[in-house]
Amino acid sequence: MSARDLISGEVDVDSQEEDESFDEETGEVRRKTNGANGVNGHLDDSSEEEDDDDDEEAAAAVRKDFIVEDDEEPEERERRRRERKKRRREEREEEEAGLDEEDLDLIGEANPDFERRAPSEPKLKRLKRGHKEDRNGHRSKGIDDIFDSEEEDENDFRNQRPSHRVDPRHLQDDLDDFIEEDYDDRDGAPDDDDADIARPMGRTYTGIKDAAGLDEAALEDMKEAFGEGDEYDWALEKQDQEEEREQGVLDAEDPEAIAKGLELKDVFEPSQLAEKLLTDEDNEIRAADVPERYQLARAPYKDVVLTSDQFKEEGIWVSDLLWPRKNIKPTLKEPFRKAVAKILEFMVSDEYEVPFIFQHRKDYLIHQERVPLASDPTNPDASDFVPAKLLDQEDLWRIFDLDLKFRALIDKRNALSETYKKLRDIVDFHDEVFETMLPVAITMEELQDVQDYLHFQHASKLADLAALNASSAVNGTHRRPGSGRALFDRIRSSNVYRLVRAFGITADDFAQNALKEGRRRYTEDPASHPEDLADDESIMDPPEFSTGAQCLKAAKAMFAEEIALSPKMRKVMRASFYKDSVIDCFRTEKGLRRIDEHHPYYSFKYLRNQQLLEFTHQPDLFLRMIRAEEEGLIEIKVRMQNEESFKKRLYTEIESDNYSEIAEAWNRERREVLDMALLKLDKMMARGLKENLKNICEDQVAKRCREEFGRRLDQAPYKPKGMVLGTVPRVLAISNGAGSLGRDAICWAWVEENGRVLENGKFTDFFLGDPERGQEDSADVKAFIRLVERRTPDVIGVSGFSADSRKLYKLLDDIIERKDLRGPTYEDDDNNDRSDRLDLVIVNDEVARLYQTSERAQLEHPGFAPLTRYCVGLAKYLQSPIKEYAALGNDVTSIILDPAQAYVPREKISKNFETAMVDFVNLIGVEINDALSDPYTANLLPYVCGLGLRKAQQLMKVIHLNGGHVVNRAEFVGDADQQRLGAVGGRVWANCASFLYIDYDSSEPEADFLDNTRIHPEDYELARKMAADALELDEEDIDAEVNESGISAVVRRLIREDQQYKVDDLILEEYAEQLETKNNLRKRATLETIRAEVQNPYEELRNNFALLSSEEIFTMFTGETRETLYEGMVVPISIKKVGEDYIEARMDCGIEGTIPAIDISDQPDVAPRQLYQQFQTVQAKVRHINRKTLTATFVMRENEVRNPVKHNYDRGPRDWDEDLERADKESMKEKNDVSGRTQRVVKHPLFKPFNSAQAQEFLGSQARGDVVIRPSSKGIDHLAVTWKVSDNIYQHIDVLELDKSNQFSSGSTLTIGGKFKYSDLDELIVNYVKAMAKKVDEMMLHEKYQNGTKAETERWLSTYTEANPKRSVYAFCIDPKHPGYFFLCFKAGQHAQLQSWPVKVVPQAFELQRNMYPDMRALCNGFKLLFTNMQNGKRPGR
């Protein structure tokens, strides 16, 4: 092997294609052209290239959606098969026709006119050459295989093709493959005489005509004499098929292959099938006639079948959980319970989804309560029905979730029951506690109590059962074995257990006393003292229990464990614990240092005595506490408020009533046992309570997110002037992104109402002129005006990433006002044409920000700049918010709708977002034919009732197979007579039919007007009867209409004659009573729906498009809220301009403001320019914030900055540990005083008054490369900079300050090690710390870096060389003892000594052996050169 293999990336192969790069904001294209052909300098055989093309075509045919269409004609399939065979034959002929040198010589002898062409120069890639001496010289044999990588040899081996020829490249001197230097166009390239590159020996085949020089006539003569050469194709085809079968290549279009069972899983990887939802499980979901969401949700419990008694139990269980949340009169509890039971019947038995129940079973959500009418004196018995709403749509989703939880409950209960039954089959026994508690366990906690009891009391029997079943688990109820269980089994089986029974009461009897259930169980005292009884020989059980003390200790532990594992006792404990517990928050030592008064966790650092109910109203507070505890900053403790009184009450239930010395001794032992049990129960209950409270708080936050997301979805498209609600507007969207107005480009996009982007562009010179000064408008302003006049948009949408976008909005508003730009003309209520001022709105950009860089945007608009795609996203959001949210798919959870959303698991947020989307998609419905042609409408289909991702795909595919157009809803289930495939089953169709509508076309004979409404097909007869009644048709008229024009004739006539308004005259109450009385159908709400839909089908029921409030605009442009930025807060500001008597400054969030001279300094006689300069970062206190204009005023006086406004928390007198807070502050002050360090305050956002330990503690959870500036112990002319090199590795940099104006000010020159000099801290951080952090990242992301200690790296090197004895290897690892240093460990062969060299990270480079290397490639190459020189006897040098 050659030393060239040491070099990573030594040959750069340029692409012949043009590379394009885009400006991140404006999208300006920058092109660069590199020339070269081929791959890695090799010319491939042409026949191989064509083979590859064929393979790619064949793979693409199958890959496309992983589906092979079944509707392809046999003739077409056979034609394509013949074409493939013909291509194979031609390739084979071309290969066989290749003529070697002897053939050409013979042709030349036979044909004197034949002129042999000179061999053409092969096309070679332009290679970057190495040093001349490296190419021409010879090197020693000792480093032929040094530091080669195993992957390179493997690749070489894979790339070798079997050949009898010898590759001339292998005959070259190994030195030709040594180190090559990288040259770019700036440095120039070596002279051409250095480019002595071996010519590739790839074989190139030519055709007969080209090789022999024959003309067309000669070829024809040859064909007549010898034929076409296809006489033996049949044999060659068989040979090809045999080869394909041997290689496992299957033709997805070959009927024989299909007949033999060709499946997608034979062609594609499982991960690919899962990504495309084409696994066997996905296909089962498609095929099953059950709503997809039900199948997915109930998958873990698909084997659970509820009995009739369990179903009744579920109704009671669910209603009992829902009732406390409902603000309903107590008299309605029984109707409420019946309503819940009916909803469960719809969900479980009928398998109706929530939207169907809410839309078409609404009458069951309402209770009609008869109320007497006192206003009619003539009829004292008169009454009327008053509706009372029992359940809403959110309750239905809650019932759905509770149904799943109940199924899990029954599943676990059944498993425990089955386990108990199997135990009794082995050993005939009876456990009254288990048989009593299992049926009444109604929560997972209670079931877990029963399971723990079973595994404790019958551990040995379960072990026998497990051994019998040759399994360590029994029906999913097996617990992990513990050493304590074995001890208790030994006690139970020994004589010591007699001492447990001597306590006079069982654990179950004691727990029953505590529960106050049944008659009281009394405790009996033995005749002997506990110690005396324990010393009895009949109790002791040597060798483990050989003394009385050991026996008594074991008996007490056993009795305490029995009490702690008693299901009844746990029930007692849980009830009291959850009722009387409070939560205290204690800071840890880490939290003492980390959580200062400005830390977000300070609000609970000393929190005490918090009731559980308070956290349900502030769920984000408890979730933040949980996060702080996970970070090790606090400890959350749960305790019972009245623990002592609770203990005393329990003492009376376990003690005996006797009065004697023996009785007192035993009672004392019983109290100790109870204390031991309560200690265990207390820990278990605290852990369970915290987990339950966490889940409740997560659910509360998720619910808030769902409600906010629902408000986002409950928006119709922006309503153009004069149009009905729901009309899609034409939009001009414009944005400056994160750019500065007047300096950076402004991008815009024009989007038609159908979503097509017809025009886009950018403005670079955009400002209004000043007529008074004779200044004209800029050219781009004029172009903007022409654009508006030409396109006449309904609305202009504006947004961006910074506060400058607010300035853009103001500028556009001024242009519209000054130039009197008008919107489209429309007709007002008086039928007069009018136009209003052009609408200008700031658009919520949360979707557009995700869209601009998404793969979807790049596919839809590949040539657009990101900022232009952002504008497209803004426009489409104005046209349909719900479609934009649906198009995000799983990425929708990236949108932050609540400050506490980050504390909730993503899956829980996603689930709530999905249910909200399902609600609103089914509210507006989906026009199925639009979904077939518009991908954005198709994105709504998975949320349609009954459907999902898989069934929506199936629906679309089947409709396309049926012709690609739907005329009526009946087509969804198919029609065998008309050879129309069914897209969904009957049950799924019942769920989705009314939410998939078809625009009514009166010219289509099979069209039904009712298919364009929210009316369900099951209610079409009611709608037709109402239409007939509205038209006052008798039965004969109806029959005549139907016989003439079909069953929908009456409704057609109602629409044709424009008589829909007549349904308002119908009295629906009487009709509803008839239906309920005669047919037992509750249809009052359904009849109202029919009346509304007949007059206005699928009316837009969403709210108007919601304009952003000033607060929302402030947060969107700045990223700040009232909690993160408030008046009185001290913040870093960057000085933009220093005037004579003022300073203009800007915050990092983009808010700009001014500081008058009086607020700049405590020294009014000192000019601002003497104290501050432009671009300086200083601390300032926020005096006032104008959240509408995004401006603020600041104060920089030292006395103000030192006293920021503190949060005023609403706490009670017992809610905060003020004494500990005061003591902590004094302790921290004493530590700082003891250090003897002058408390400096540097005006920089990264400055912290920390010592080294505190700085490391602070940076512990920060990212690699983060920095803290802090005071230095070396004096007032020094600063310390601590930055995080890696986890638990921090570098402390000493900074010497020079040219200080006074002892408290910062030096104007900052030096590090006397070598690096900087003018301010920002320059030092960027050019020194961040530069080194970048190099650390480069090192740790390199393929040769080992993420372990030096010893681990050396072990890896040794293992590698043992496996590869002739190989040499090297690797890098970090040096934790010397921050900023790495080890370069290497081993030059199996028997070579392990060595390591230190690598130092410096700004912009790596230092090795006093040599500087700019990047990792140069470092690796440099190391290999140094090692080569060392092997040759040269001393490493510069």
Side-chain angles (χ1 to χ4, degrees), residues 413-442:
R413 186 191 293 175
N414 291 344
L416 285 170
S417 179
E418 182 67 18
T419 301
Y420 183 67
K421 180 177 179 297
K422 289 182 178 181
L423 287 178
R424 294 195 63 187
D425 290 342
I426 297 175
V427 181
D428 187 15
F429 73 100
H430 172 70
D431 192 317
E432 184 179 354
V433 174
F434 180 87
E435 295 176 2
T436 302
M437 298 303 296
L438 182 64
V440 298
I442 59 173

Side-chain angles (χ1 to χ4, degrees), residues 1371-1401:
F1372 299 93
C1373 65
I1374 200 165
D1375 183 354
K1377 295 183 179 179
H1378 302 91
Y1381 280 83
F1382 290 84
F1383 289 116
L1384 197 169
C1385 304
F1386 58 94
K1387 190 176 183 186
Q1390 180 183 10
H1391 302 293
Q1393 184 180 0
L1394 277 166
Q1395 300 183 63
S1396 65
W1397 291 350
V1399 178
K1400 181 181 180 183
V1401 177

Side-chain angles (χ1 to χ4, degrees), residues 594-739:
R594 286 282 304 277
I595 306 177
D596 59 15
E597 293 185 355
H598 306 293
H599 199 282
Y601 294 163
Y602 195 80
S603 59
F604 50 79
K605 185 176 182 180
Y606 302 101
L607 201 61
R608 301 287 189 273
N609 302 312
Q610 296 301 294
Q611 301 287 340
L612 304 183
L613 188 62
E614 296 177 8
F615 291 111
T616 60
H617 299 304
Q618 302 180 75
D620 50 334
L621 174 61
F622 187 73
L623 293 179
R624 285 192 294 125
M625 290 170 60
I626 292 291
R627 179 63 59 84
E629 186 176 46
E630 291 172 353
E631 295 174 5
L633 302 178
I634 66 166
E635 183 181 359
I636 301 172
K637 293 186 178 180
V638 186
R639 60 178 176 84
M640 292 181 64
Q641 282 183 296
N642 305 310
E643 188 174 7
E644 290 303 319
S645 61
F646 177 71
K647 277 186 182 181
K648 290 178 180 179
R649 182 174 71 83
L650 291 181
Y651 286 160
T652 62
E653 306 296 344
I654 198 173
E655 292 175 343
S656 70
D657 296 333
N658 298 326
Y659 293 96
S660 67
E661 183 180 349
I662 294 177
E664 179 57 33
W666 277 105
N667 284 338
R668 185 165 53 251
E669 299 295 341
R670 294 177 185 122
R671 286 194 293 268
E672 289 184 13
V673 167
L674 183 57
D675 289 343
M676 293 167 59
L678 289 179
L679 185 62
K680 295 182 178 183
L681 288 171
D682 188 78
K683 292 179 180 179
M684 186 190 74
M685 294 298 159
R687 185 169 58 251
L689 186 146
K690 284 171 61 175
E691 189 62 30
N692 286 338
L693 184 57
K694 177 186 175 184
N695 289 330
I696 292 172
C697 292
E698 286 177 352
D699 290 341
Q700 291 277 18
V701 173
K703 180 183 176 183
R704 291 193 325 216
C705 293
R706 184 187 190 277
E707 292 172 352
E708 184 59 37
F709 188 54
R711 282 190 282 272
R712 302 277 210 280
L713 299 176
D714 192 13
Q715 300 181 85
Y718 186 87
K719 180 179 173 296
K721 295 286 181 63
M723 301 294 179
V724 297
L725 187 64
T727 304
V728 178
R730 296 172 298 177
V731 183
L732 174 63
I734 186 168
S735 175
N736 63 327

Side-chain angles (χ1 to χ4, degrees), residues 40 149-160:
N40 297 335
S149 66
E150 184 177 3
E151 295 78 12
E152 291 170 350
D153 272 6
E154 290 174 354
N155 292 335
D156 293 341
F157 179 81
R158 284 193 296 266
N159 293 334
Q160 288 176 3

